[in-house]
């Protein structure tokens, strides 16, 4: 990792003043405001520190919105993958992909009618559907004995209960037994009529949900032509006798849903490859042409960009050029730190590319582009879930790498609120730079576009090494009227001319802190 005496320091060109430009969200012609700098090179630790202070890169350009002035405040958002549980909508997307890969099934709905991102209601609601999938754990001998006693009791009391539902159910059970169909005990009793006491000799009433599950069990056993006794016993034996992984009363993990085994004769094959963003890497170089063609197709179809605005130069500058220096650490991930393309190969061709940065404490999502012909697979949601699972995988080797950054959350823009559906997640307070759970932020954002989430008045205080690491804070003081601070700035003017400020952030922080605190 980078250190104070690192041989490859972060070199940036800071652009003085604030940029005013057209907002891509609300379309205000001059409402978007930000500070920016061109990063010629940057260590992964420096960039980690920057995004934890509200900065973000686009190619080699690193910018930070002026939160209290810009038309659409953009809050840095991160998901906590270690506690993440896929919502009902997320599961639908994963199952849709599995069905397509296994059988070639395509969603019936029109891809234009199906949003790429799930609804907020589906994402934040609890999924109780798995409760209905509990197995009935029982012993076969006990089942048969109970069934026999139950039927005998029903026959004796049939004449007294001709108008009850139990007679109908008893007749159904007789028909099932006459066909030689094995069965679990189904004890259904009507509630006592008003004015009559409960029959204590009867077993308690069964819930309709349990009855439906047992009827389903009967149907499955009827479909078994051999009536395999052993198979039925395996399904009805106590859960303690089964291996832990076979318990169906446990919700499937994200990895279980993503990597569910496919049949040998699956219709399609999907492979995800992690490729370093470097023309020196043979795999990146060999796939560049196909990846670029996919980018052009995506930009023209999804964003309606004209061909002259999505050329090879724009593609390279935007998604292939990165200021991050590749770093490898014994305690880091096997792939190392830096910028990567996650390529989604379907049957030998690329259908989607996720651009990501792997940093000391997180995986940061930069951009995604995909083949519009496969919009029915909801690749935006699918790739996000894959990246969350990938972060969890990296965490196993590198414990401190435990977050998934999704860029900016813009509450005032409906199309950008979907990021809040990947929970648990936090928003970065724009004034104190403290992470706050998104649930606590939403009420304030409903009232105002710009909010300070941390209400502690002592949160922002004296300059420290941590606060001084932020370039916008540092440079705002360096460019003040203080002669002492201007002396520091003067030392770097000779590097590339008066307009070009090339400096190593960490090299001047120590002297700067002392100077700043004296004032």
């Amino acid at each position: 990792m980078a250190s104070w005496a690192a041989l490859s320091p972060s070199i940036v060109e800071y652009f003085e003043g604030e940029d005013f430009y057209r907002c891509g969200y609300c379309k205000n012609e001059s409402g978007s405001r930000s500070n920016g700098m061109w990063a010629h090179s940057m260590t992964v630790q420096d960039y980690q520190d920057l995004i934890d202070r509200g900065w973000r890169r686009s190619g080699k350009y690193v910018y930070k919105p002026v939160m209290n002035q810009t038309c659409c405040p953009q809050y840095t958002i991160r998901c906590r993958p270690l506690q993440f549980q896929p919502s009902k909508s997320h599961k639908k997307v994963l199952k849709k992909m599995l069905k397509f890969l296994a059988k070639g099934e395509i969603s019936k709905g029109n891809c234009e009618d199906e949003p790429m991102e799930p609804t907020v209601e589906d994402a934040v609601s609890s999924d109780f559907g798995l409760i209905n999938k509990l197995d009935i754990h029982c012993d076969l001998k006990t089942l048969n004995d109970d069934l026999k006693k139950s039927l005998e009791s029903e026959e004796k009391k049939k004449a007294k209960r001709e108008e009850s539902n139990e007679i109908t159910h008893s007749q159904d059970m007789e028909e099932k037994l006459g066909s030689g169909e094995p069965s679990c005990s189904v004890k259904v009793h009507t509630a006592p009529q008003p004015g009559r006491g409960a029959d204590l000799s009867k077993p308690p009433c069964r819930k309709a949900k349990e009855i439906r599950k047992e009827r389903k069990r009967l149907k499955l056993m009827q479909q078994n032509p051999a009536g395999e006794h052993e198979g039925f016993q395996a399904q009805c034996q106590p859960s303690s006798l089964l291996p832990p992984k076979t318990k169906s009363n446990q919700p499937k993990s994200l990895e279980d849903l993503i990597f569910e085994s496919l049949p040998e004769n699956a219709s399609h094959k999907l492979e995800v490859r992690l490729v370093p963003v470097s023309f020196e890497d043979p795999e990146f170089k060999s796939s560049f042409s196909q990846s670029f063609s996919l980018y052009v197709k995506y930009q023209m179809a999804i964003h309606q960009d004209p061909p002259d605005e999505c050329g090879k130069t724009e593609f390279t500058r935007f998604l292939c050029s990165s200021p991050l220096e590749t770093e490898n650490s014994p305690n880091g991930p096997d792939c190392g730190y830096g910028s990567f393309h996650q390529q989604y190969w379907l049957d030998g061709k690329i259908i989607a590319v996720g651009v990501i940065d792997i940093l000391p404490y997180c995986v940061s999502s930069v951009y995604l582009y995909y083949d519009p012909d496969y919009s029915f697979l909801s690749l935006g949601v699918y790739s996000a879930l894959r990246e969350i699972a990938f972060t969890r995988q990296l965490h196993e080797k590198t414990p401190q790498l435990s977050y998934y950054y999704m860029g900016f959350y813009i509450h005032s823009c409906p199309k950008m609120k979907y990021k809040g559906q990947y929970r648990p997640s936090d928003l970065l307070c724009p004034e104190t730079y403290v992470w706050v759970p998104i649930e606590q932020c939403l009420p304030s954002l409903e009232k105002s576009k710009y909010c300070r989430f941390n209400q502690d008045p002592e949160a922002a205080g004296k300059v420290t090494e941590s606060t001084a690491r932020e370039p916008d804070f540092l440079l705002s003081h360096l460019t003040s009227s203080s002669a002492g601070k201007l002396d520091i700035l003067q030392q770097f003017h000779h590097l590339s001319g008066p307009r070009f400020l090339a400096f190593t952030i960490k090299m001047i922080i120590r002297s700067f802190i002392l100077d700043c605190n004296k004032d």
Side-chain angles (χ1 to χ4, degrees):
M1 210 51 53
S3 64
W4 288 94
L7 296 177
S8 300
S10 297
I11 306 297
V12 301
E13 179 182 357
Y14 182 75
F15 299 106
E16 188 176 355
E18 299 169 356
D19 292 333
F20 296 80
Y21 51 91
R22 183 176 184 271
C23 178
Y25 304 106
C26 69
K27 310 307 178 185
N28 187 318
E29 291 298 328
S30 59
S32 185
R33 308 181 70 176
S34 69
N35 292 307
M37 58 186 176
W38 189 263
H40 295 269
S41 67
M42 184 170 289
T43 66
V44 291
Q45 182 62 61
D46 281 345
Y47 185 56
Q48 176 74 67
D49 294 338
L50 283 169
I51 62 174
D52 284 335
R53 307 286 288 186
W55 290 74
R56 184 82 176 157
R57 82 171 183 88
S58 176
K60 288 190 174 185
Y61 182 71
V62 187
Y63 64 99
K64 178 181 180 180
V66 182
M67 296 291 284
N68 60 347
Q69 299 180 29
T70 190
C71 55
C72 296
Q74 303 166 51
Y75 299 89
T76 301
I77 182 172
R78 72 178 185 184
C79 172
R80 286 174 261 151
L82 304 187
Q83 295 83 37
F84 175 80
Q85 289 293 335
S87 68
K88 184 177 180 180
S89 293
H90 295 153
K91 292 174 185 177
K92 286 182 179 179
V93 171
L94 295 175
K95 290 177 181 178
K96 179 167 56 176
M97 175 64 80
L98 289 173
K99 289 181 180 180
F100 173 73
L101 296 176
K103 303 177 182 180
E105 293 184 7
I106 297 178
S107 176
K108 295 180 180 179
N110 190 323
C111 63
E112 295 180 356
D113 298 331
E114 179 181 354
M116 282 297 297
E117 306 297 348
T119 61
V120 175
E121 291 74 17
D122 287 344
V124 299
S125 63
S126 299
D127 183 10
F128 297 104
L130 290 171
I131 298 178
N132 294 327
K133 299 180 181 179
L134 298 176
D135 277 347
I136 303 173
H137 302 299
C138 50
D139 180 78
L140 184 61
K141 184 177 183 303
T142 303
L143 284 171
N144 291 335
D145 292 342
D146 288 348
L147 178 60
K148 184 176 180 180
K149 292 178 182 179
S150 178
L151 290 176
E152 289 176 353
S153 175
E154 297 293 345
E155 287 294 334
K156 291 179 182 179
K157 298 178 182 180
K158 184 185 298 185
K160 296 180 180 180
R161 296 181 282 110
E162 293 180 351
E163 297 179 359
S164 70
N165 292 334
E166 290 178 286
I167 294 179
T168 304
H169 182 72
S170 177
Q171 292 173 346
D172 292 341
M173 294 300 295
E174 288 179 347
E175 292 176 1
K176 293 180 183 296
L177 290 175
S179 63
E181 175 186 352
S183 172
C184 292
S185 169
V186 182
K187 304 176 183 179
V188 182
H189 298 270
T190 57
Q193 296 181 4
R196 299 182 184 180
D199 190 347
L200 300 180
S201 64
K202 301 177 182 179
C205 296
R206 303 290 296 280
K207 292 183 177 181
K209 180 174 64 177
E210 296 178 357
I211 299 171
R212 290 196 300 271
K213 288 190 289 187
E214 294 187 359
R215 286 177 179 172
K216 184 177 180 180
R217 177 79 66 186
L218 293 173
K219 184 177 180 181
L220 292 174
M221 298 311 300
Q222 186 178 17
Q223 293 175 353
N224 187 348
E228 294 178 3
H229 188 77
E230 295 180 357
F232 183 64
Q233 278 185 318
Q235 294 181 11
C236 293
Q237 64 179 314
S239 60
S240 60
L241 301 180
L242 295 173
K245 291 185 179 180
T246 63
K247 290 183 179 180
S248 61
N249 60 340
Q250 297 294 330
K252 287 187 177 181
S253 68
L254 176 62
E255 288 77 9
D256 291 336
L257 294 167
I258 291 176
F259 302 110
E260 184 172 323
S261 58
L262 297 172
E264 294 183 0
N265 60 343
S267 299
H268 301 284
K269 179 183 177 181
L270 179 67
E271 180 184 2
V272 180
R273 303 177 187 175
L274 184 69
V275 181
V277 179
S278 171
F279 285 98
E280 297 179 359
D281 183 83
E283 193 168 1
F284 177 82
K285 190 174 182 179
S286 63
S287 61
F288 177 83
S289 179
Q290 187 178 166
S291 182
F292 166 64
S293 298
L294 177 63
Y295 166 78
V296 174
K297 184 177 182 180
Y298 170 81
Q299 293 295 127
M300 294 179 64
I302 303 300
H303 295 289
Q304 287 78 50
D305 286 354
D308 59 339
E309 291 184 8
C310 48
K312 190 171 294 186
T313 301
E314 289 76 13
F315 171 67
T316 303
R317 181 190 304 127
F318 179 37
L319 298 175
C320 300
S321 295
S322 171
L324 301 184
E325 305 224 355
T326 302
E327 296 184 23
N328 292 280
S329 170
N331 299 324
D334 295 334
C335 59
Y337 299 106
S339 298
F340 298 83
H341 281 187
Q342 270 197 332
Q343 301 174 343
Y344 294 76
W345 290 76
L346 180 69
D347 301 332
K349 73 171 185 177
I350 304 176
I351 64 165
V353 176
V355 184
I356 61 173
D357 294 329
I358 300 179
L359 304 175
Y361 306 118
C362 73
V363 169
S364 175
S365 177
V366 179
Y367 198 70
L368 172 80
Y369 57 98
Y370 57 87
D371 191 334
D373 294 341
Y374 293 90
S375 294
F376 61 88
L377 291 175
S378 300
L379 292 172
V381 179
Y382 183 77
S383 64
L385 297 173
R386 289 292 299 242
E387 289 171 3
I388 291 174
F390 179 58
T391 306
R392 286 155 62 142
Q393 178 186 346
L394 295 179
H395 172 78
E396 295 178 2
K397 170 72 185 303
T398 310
Q400 70 271 18
L401 203 163
S402 54
Y403 295 102
Y404 174 60
Y405 285 49
M406 297 175 283
F408 288 133
Y409 173 82
I410 308 175
H411 191 77
S412 58
C413 179
K415 291 184 178 180
M416 296 299 291
K417 292 170 68 174
Y418 73 89
K419 295 181 181 181
Q421 300 164 16
Y422 297 86
R423 299 194 181 184
S425 58
D426 309 304
L427 297 183
L428 187 66
C429 178
E431 296 183 13
T432 63
Y433 304 113
V434 173
W435 292 101
V436 181
I438 192 171
E439 294 85 355
Q440 299 179 23
C441 304
L442 294 179
S444 299
L445 290 173
E446 288 292 336
K447 299 176 182 178
S448 174
K449 289 183 178 182
Y450 173 75
C451 303
R452 168 177 168 149
F453 303 133
N454 187 325
Q455 302 304 322
D456 182 5
E458 302 296 327
K462 187 178 180 181
V463 178
T464 64
E465 180 172 324
S466 176
T467 58
R469 291 170 67 87
E470 185 188 359
D472 64 335
F473 179 89
L474 177 64
L475 292 169
S476 65
H477 286 75
L478 283 175
T479 55
S480 68
S481 59
S482 170
K485 296 167 190 174
L486 282 176
D487 288 342
I488 301 176
L489 182 64
Q490 295 286 339
Q491 298 175 24
F492 302 95
H493 277 187
H494 70 279
L495 292 177
S496 298
R499 186 181 177 277
F500 181 72
L501 172 61
F503 66 94
T504 303
I505 297 173
K506 293 184 177 179
M507 289 178 62
I508 61 174
I509 286 179
R510 287 180 173 174
S511 59
F512 166 69
I513 293 174
L514 296 175
D515 182 49
C516 186
N517 285 332
K518 286 179 183 178
D519 294 346

